[in-house]
Each structure stands twice: as structure tokens, then as C-alpha cells.
Amino acid sequence: MRNLTSAVLTACATIAISAGAQAATLSHNGLTMGVNNYGGLGSGGVGFALNGTDAITPGCLCEGWGVASNGAGSYTYGNGSTNFTSGALSDVTSNTGKSTVTTSGGLNVTHSYSPVDGQKLFRIDITIKNDSAAVANDVRYGRTLDWDVTPGYFDNNFTTVYGGTPTGPGGKVLHTSTNPFDTPNPMFTRSQEANTNVSNSIGDKGSYFIFSFGDLGIGEELTFTTFIGADTSAAGLLAAFTAVGIEAYSYTTGRGGENAFGYGFTGLDLPPIGGGDVPEPAALALFGLGIVGVAAARRRRKA
């Protein structure tokens, strides 16, 4: 990406070199996704694609997740890892797989990938277990993803972030941002459009979420779910998000509103989007995108 600092680019390159070779490519309902043994996306030249159009690999592979406890974070970013003592991919089929990693702090984290029937979505069930001999304090999980939706992915993407409440983060969502360009250590937040709902923010952006789960006793575990998907329109993607009960999400479209890519979460103690007592961030986002489309059409006519 053009607005990455040289330090972050160097970090991406260094981490990528240290990544393991174990990986898989999963396919479902027009989607193709590369998964590495640490549970991140991007392997074998495949990031995440809809009908062959990849929305991760055109730019920097600034994508990954992290986990933290007792004030220390471990993460995978740019197809590599930091402070994971092991990482393995198992149970691989044409559309399923499970990544298992352990951290130096004694957390065991699994990401189980599976398709969602009838939807252009992959489901990722995430389990964090405390295998250490002490209580894991302030357990956090972070997820960062830079979508590069063509055409014009550097400057003409439109990013929407919804943190679960009308004013931003709620429930177990601790932090949101449209800045995906840093390692996803959940102990650190980001300032760009932080902790606020964002509708069709234009530019070279993505999203970053941090979840806070409190303390985890010896042998205890917690679970939540991520969904990653795409559609030829934001309306189609948001309909899929609503169908699976997503509570917080982010997505990005190209400059004409085509090919929306995004991810969302359940299990965060928030109401699902689309409920009668929940504001409609999806409708607001689509309205904003419509305004952008009208403005673009007017510019074309003037030209």
C-alpha cells in the first residue's frame, strides 16, 4: 500500500520470510481463500477472492490476528507470526480447515474454517483456551484486515465499520479503527477514526477490531465466531451478514459500489444487526454509498 511506512513494510517482509510453509486454499460458492498454518489469510498467491477477483493480494498483505493476556500480545501479520510457540493446519478439505497455535503465555487458540450453506460466507469458529498454570488476566483478541477492492483500490475504496451500538464499540468490542497498517497486538489501539461507526469512508483504509474477554481461569476456554465473505454488492453482503446474526462488522467496496468484501462477528454480547430494537447501520451505509454513486455519475457527465 502506498501509505505504509517503511518500518511496517520491513516488518511485513521479515515476518513473511519466517512463516511456515503449511497452507491450504479453500473454496465455496464463488469464494476462494488462502489460509496459512497460523490461521491468517494469504497463501500461494491467494488472499480472499470472489469469482477470481482477489481483494487482499493487490496491495500489501497487511492482514492478521492477535491474542493477548497478562499485558503481553502474540500475533500473526503478513503471513507470519510473533511469539507463537507452534502453529499447525489440520482437518483440511476443499472448504474446511483448522489452525491451532499456542502462545508463550500458555494460550491455545484454534480457528476452525467452514462454509456457510447458501451464503457467500466462510465461518471461523475461534476458541481461546488457557493451558497455563495461572489465571490469564485481561484476555484480548485483535483482528486487522486491509481490503484492496479493485478497481482503484488505493484511493477509491469505501470502508464501513460498525462497532455494535449507534455510537460505536459496545459489548466485548473494546476498540475499532479504519487503520489496518500495523501488527495486530491487542494491547495497542490506533487513532484513525477510532471507536466510532464509519460509513463509506473513502481512501486507502481497512479495519481493526479489539475484543476484551476479561480473565480466563486455568483450563477455561471462550468461543466466538468470525464470518468473512463477499458479494457483488454491499446489499448482498449485508443481507448475508444479517442472515447469520452478525453483531459488529466492517466491509469495503470499490468506487462504484461493486464487489463488497467484509467480515463480521458474533458472540460479543451485542444484538444482531437487523433487529427491531437495533439501529440500521447497514441502511445508513447503503444510503451513503448511493450518494457517492450519484456524485460519481455527475462527475462523469461533466467530463
Side-chain angles (χ1 to χ4, degrees):
M1 303 302 294
R2 284 185 286 184
N3 66 343
L4 280 173
T5 64
S6 59
V8 173
L9 284 170
T10 301
C12 278
T14 302
I15 294 171
I17 292 171
S18 67
Q22 191 176 6
T25 300
L26 311 182
S27 299
H28 164 65
N29 201 11
L31 303 177
T32 308
M33 176 169 57
V35 181
N36 62 59
N37 57 323
Y38 296 114
L41 303 185
S43 68
V46 178
F48 188 76
L50 172 64
N51 299 325
T53 300
D54 204 310
I56 293 181
T57 58
C60 173
L61 187 61
C62 295
E63 181 282 334
W65 65 272
V67 66
S69 64
N70 302 314
S74 302
Y75 53 82
T76 178
Y77 183 67
N79 204 2
S81 70
T82 297
N83 291 339
F84 290 156
T85 58
S86 66
L89 196 62
S90 62
D91 301 340
V92 175
T93 70
S94 63
N95 56 19
T96 66
K98 182 172 74 173
S99 163
T100 303
V101 306
T102 56
T103 73
S104 57
L107 296 180
N108 180 287
V109 185
T110 62
H111 290 71
S112 296
Y113 287 83
S114 62
V116 178
D117 291 340
Q119 303 289 351
K120 291 182 173 64
L121 292 174
F122 275 98
R123 175 186 179 117
I124 305 97
D125 291 306
I126 301 167
T127 301
I128 303 174
K129 183 180 180 183
N130 179 13
D131 281 337
S132 74
V135 173
N137 296 302
D138 188 19
V139 175
R140 301 183 183 188
Y141 180 95
R143 189 75 177 80
T144 194
L145 211 161
D146 169 36
W147 293 112
D148 296 323
V149 180
T150 56
Y153 57 86
F154 279 130
D155 298 315
N156 293 300
N157 277 190
F158 296 86
T159 297
T160 295
V161 176
Y162 177 65
T165 77
T167 57
K172 291 184 169 68
V173 182
L174 179 67
H175 175 73
T176 63
S177 171
T178 58
N179 176 10
F181 303 118
D182 205 348
T183 52
N185 184 336
M187 297 309 302
F188 297 97
T189 60
R190 303 174 188 175
S191 61
Q192 179 173 289
E193 292 174 306
N195 300 329
T196 184
N197 293 329
V198 175
S199 179
N200 294 309
S201 181
I202 189 171
D204 187 8
K205 301 176 182 179
S207 53
Y208 179 50
F209 286 83
I210 299 175
F211 308 137
S212 177
F213 295 104
D215 299 342
L216 201 59
I218 300 170
E220 290 184 346
E221 62 182 38
L222 62 90
T223 62
F224 64 100
T225 301
T226 300
F227 292 87
I228 298 179
D231 204 281
T232 54
S233 69
L237 179 62
L238 288 166
F241 281 1
T242 301
V244 296
I246 277 176
E247 302 164 15
Y249 64 84
S250 176
Y251 70 87
T252 306
T253 68
R255 61 179 171 230
E258 69 287 326
N259 289 342
F261 292 80
Y263 62 121
F265 312 94
T266 63
L268 302 177
D269 291 346
L270 290 163
I273 62 172
D277 59 343
V278 181
E280 294 291 343
L284 292 174
L286 289 173
F287 175 74
L289 190 59
I291 292 175
V292 170
V294 170
R298 288 175 177 171
R299 287 196 298 271
R300 287 194 294 272
R301 284 198 296 270
K302 289 179 179 180

